[in-house]
Amino acid sequence: MRTELEREYVDYVSVRLPHLHRLAYLLCSDAHQADDIVQAALTSLYIGWKRAAGADNLDAYVNRIVVRRYLDERRRRWAKVLLGDAVPEQPSNDEHGLEARDELVTALKALPKGQRAVLVLRFLGDMSVEDTADVLGCSVGNVKSQSSRGLAALRSVLEAGRIASVEGDSRWTSES
Amino acid sequence: MDERELRERFDAIGVPPSRVHVGALVAEGRRRVKRRRSWQAAGGAALAIGGLLVVPSVVFHPRPGPNLSDGVPVASRTASAPVSPAGSVPAAPCVMTNLPLPKGFTSVSVVAVDPTGRYIVGNGFSGQNFLPVLWTDGKPQALPMRGESVELSAVNSQGVVVGLITENNKDYTFRYQNGRYTKLRTPAGSWRVYPVPEINTVGDIVINAEPSGNTGGKDSIALIWPAGATAAMKIALPDGANVMAITDDGTMIGTMYKNGGAVAGYAWDAQGRTHKLTTPSGQTAAAYAGRGDWATGGLWPRESAVRWNLRTGKLTEFKAPADADLAPAMDGLGPGEKVNAKGWVVVSGYVMRDDGPATLPVPTGLRAVAKDVSDDGLVVGQTVNAADTVVPRTWRC
């Protein structure tokens, strides 16, 4: 039944790919890094598909792989920086022309990494406080406080962005 | 901003396009599995998922003779591709010819050939997206782009091309004919079409669809666009029936799935009769392609390629060549992907005939990978080197 397994994998991944890409992108704010994370995570999912397909909550399981990959990636990049290979953490993505249009992305990027990760995992990844804590390797209390601080910060950044966009280029006027 | 609003906003964020494509993931996954296998030597850890990504792209041709193609003149052939008489099994080895790339392309993956060998389709890549390429008489042409990605899957002997256009992450079946794309509509509701469309000589197009958001073919329906139509008709088939090909007499070849697993191959003929294809006891089967009197697919757990004779019901099982580079932990070649009117089966890059695998000669250091074969024995595919560089080729057998 291995071919059937592969078909299942293809079907599952085809449907979930946009969501996982979004998750990775919002975690790292970099289109190429997001692709690398998704590629690595889903390749490892392929190898372990038979086991994974039997998971109680497959979506949560796969979200978790993506997040772990993101954390690995960060560690790897950090190591690179230490070695003197200057890899910018948040390279400009102006060539995509997409994120500039979304004030939420801009606001997210302005958040400390911990807060950003917590918000993305909880509200895009639909992970519980406990799961978020588990995958990020911190306490439940930490997730809760990061979450509320992140939300507050996001709110204030969005308010400020709103004012700036109204005063600035009218093309970027927000919808709401 | 409350949590609910944040959730909605996250879902609505426009993110840059992803370069990750499921086909590339599968290819990479297989490579990784293979590497593991070689590292683990005879360890035998059963963590490998082998097998084939089966994207059957059968093309069809009228039977019995070559002159029934609806008044369309029989195509002239490329000078480099002499025709062997239909029905003969040549003793000479097949002769390789290079398929040139359209200008600006660095790599194209060949997908299918029409039954006459005149038309060949393939896909180039740009990031995660497909770029459509059509060869006519050996001459390459980059077809115009629509949406983010245009993936070709099959072409018939009239040069009608079918495939999937991806627009805003949604796949649409299309027909490309006389330089024009026609989007083929699905029934009311939100559907995801899969795996890829197939077409027969008259131009009937088939595919399956599942409600958007479902996976693994759950609640799927089979669709047909009769030649020239743009609105789909739902094919009246039992739950779990997936159609993978349509032959020139309107017989649909496919597989019944139960709880996400293939149970048996089927032929549903134009008169509405159901023919279950022979499945040896203790095995399950899936049929993925068909042409003329033949259907092909695979058996599990045996993992072997099989061919069914649709007239006699006879089942033929193909053994893996002794030197076959089998997917990890695979005992057999995996399921047949294509079959021509002579019953030659394309499986795992091989062309299996009754007298064994066709010998596809390649320059030193390269490996031949067959993708499809025309009725008169034009094998289309590619060569691959150790660095996985792909070069489109044909072999006249």
Side-chain angles (χ1 to χ4, degrees), chain A residues 1-4 6-7 11 21-22 25 35 43 46-47 49 98 103 105 108 123 126 151 155 158, chain B residues 1 6-7 10-11 13 15-16 18-19 30 32 47 49 52-53 194 242 257 288 300 303 329:
Chain A
M1 295 299 285
R2 292 195 180 90
T3 302
E4 288 316 305
E6 194 168 84
R7 181 176 182 271
D11 285 344
H21 175 69
R22 179 180 298 270
Y25 177 73
D35 280 340
T43 304
Y46 178 96
I47 293 165
W49 177 247
L98 280 165
E103 55 185 355
V105 174
L108 266 179
F123 301 118
D126 273 333
L151 275 171
R155 233 172 257 134
L158 286 177
Chain B
M1 178 184 290
L6 187 59
R7 240 176 262 272
F10 271 146
D11 278 329
I13 287 174
V15 298
S18 169
R19 294 168 299 148
R30 286 194 201 146
R32 291 268 300 276
L47 36 70
I49 305 169
L52 294 156
L53 170 57
Y194 70 93
N242 280 227
Y257 288 83
Y288 290 118
W300 290 268
E303 297 167 344

Side-chain angles (χ1 to χ4, degrees), chain B residues 297-309:
Chain B
L299 298 181
W300 290 268
R302 218 176 276 169
E303 297 167 344
S304 57
V306 292
R307 184 187 64 193
W308 291 276
N309 185 312

Side-chain angles (χ1 to χ4, degrees), chain B residues 127-389:
Chain B
Q128 65 156 351
N129 294 324
F130 291 106
L131 307 171
V133 176
L134 169 68
W135 285 270
T136 305
D137 297 328
K139 276 180 22 200
Q141 180 196 0
L143 298 187
M145 277 305 291
R146 294 287 183 276
E148 300 126 41
S149 170
V150 179
E151 177 185 10
L152 305 186
S153 57
V155 58
N156 73 4
S157 56
Q158 304 178 59
V160 183
V161 175
V162 293
L164 297 175
I165 290 177
T166 309
E167 249 175 21
N168 301 318
N169 276 329
K170 191 169 161 51
D171 292 334
Y172 301 89
T173 308
F174 71 83
R175 174 199 297 128
Y176 178 86
Q177 189 172 15
N178 302 325
R180 282 178 50 192
Y181 284 98
T182 306
K183 231 188 219 182
L184 303 176
R185 298 195 303 272
T186 46
S190 183
W191 298 93
R192 188 179 79 85
V193 290
Y194 70 93
V196 287
E198 299 297 338
I199 185 168
N200 67 4
T201 296
V202 289
D204 302 327
I205 298 165
V206 290
I207 199 166
N208 306 288
E210 63 187 355
S212 296
N214 283 8
T215 57
K218 193 168 180 294
D219 301 325
S220 69
I221 54 173
L223 298 176
I224 183 167
W225 291 271
T230 54
M233 288 164 58
K234 191 180 156 188
I235 306 168
L237 292 175
D239 288 349
N242 280 227
V243 169
M244 303 298 192
I246 179 165
T247 67
D248 289 346
D249 67 6
T251 299
M252 279 165 285
I253 307 297
T255 298
M256 283 295 297
Y257 288 83
K258 202 172 168 186
N259 302 323
V263 179
Y266 279 82
W268 295 283
D269 70 24
Q271 289 72 46
R273 288 177 302 218
T274 295
H275 309 270
K276 186 181 173 188
L277 303 177
T278 313
T279 309
S281 88
Q283 303 288 311
T284 59
Y288 290 118
R291 169 144 184 82
D293 287 340
W294 308 102
T296 188
L299 298 181
W300 290 268
R302 218 176 276 169
E303 297 167 344
S304 57
V306 292
R307 184 187 64 193
W308 291 276
N309 185 312
L310 297 175
R311 239 171 350 97
T312 65
K314 188 185 171 203
L315 176 84
T316 305
E317 209 170 332
F318 292 101
K319 295 238 179 328
D323 62 343
D325 176 24
L326 293 181
M330 290 277 290
D331 300 323
L333 284 172
E337 298 149 62
K338 305 283 180 94
V339 60
N340 74 359
K342 286 194 271 193
W344 299 10
V345 169
V346 176
V347 47
S348 271
Y350 293 94
V351 178
M352 304 302 292
R353 301 185 295 207
D354 287 321
D355 60 350
T359 305
L360 306 175
V362 289
T364 314
L366 300 182
R367 187 165 53 88
V369 178
K371 292 292 189 176
D372 198 1
V373 58
S374 71
D375 286 349
D376 57 7
L378 182 71
V379 175
V380 300
Q382 46 237 0
T383 55
V384 183
N385 69 7
D388 279 340
T389 307

Side-chain angles (χ1 to χ4, degrees), chain A residues 20 22 27 31 82 110 117 154:
Chain A
L20 297 171
R22 179 180 298 270
L27 282 170
L82 284 179
L154 213 52

Side-chain angles (χ1 to χ4, degrees), chain B residues 102-125:
Chain B
K103 219 175 154 191
F105 280 70
T106 51
S107 175
V108 176
S109 200
V110 172
V111 172
V113 63
D114 88 280
T116 68
R118 183 178 188 204
Y119 301 103
I120 298 169
V121 289
N123 298 298
F125 303 93

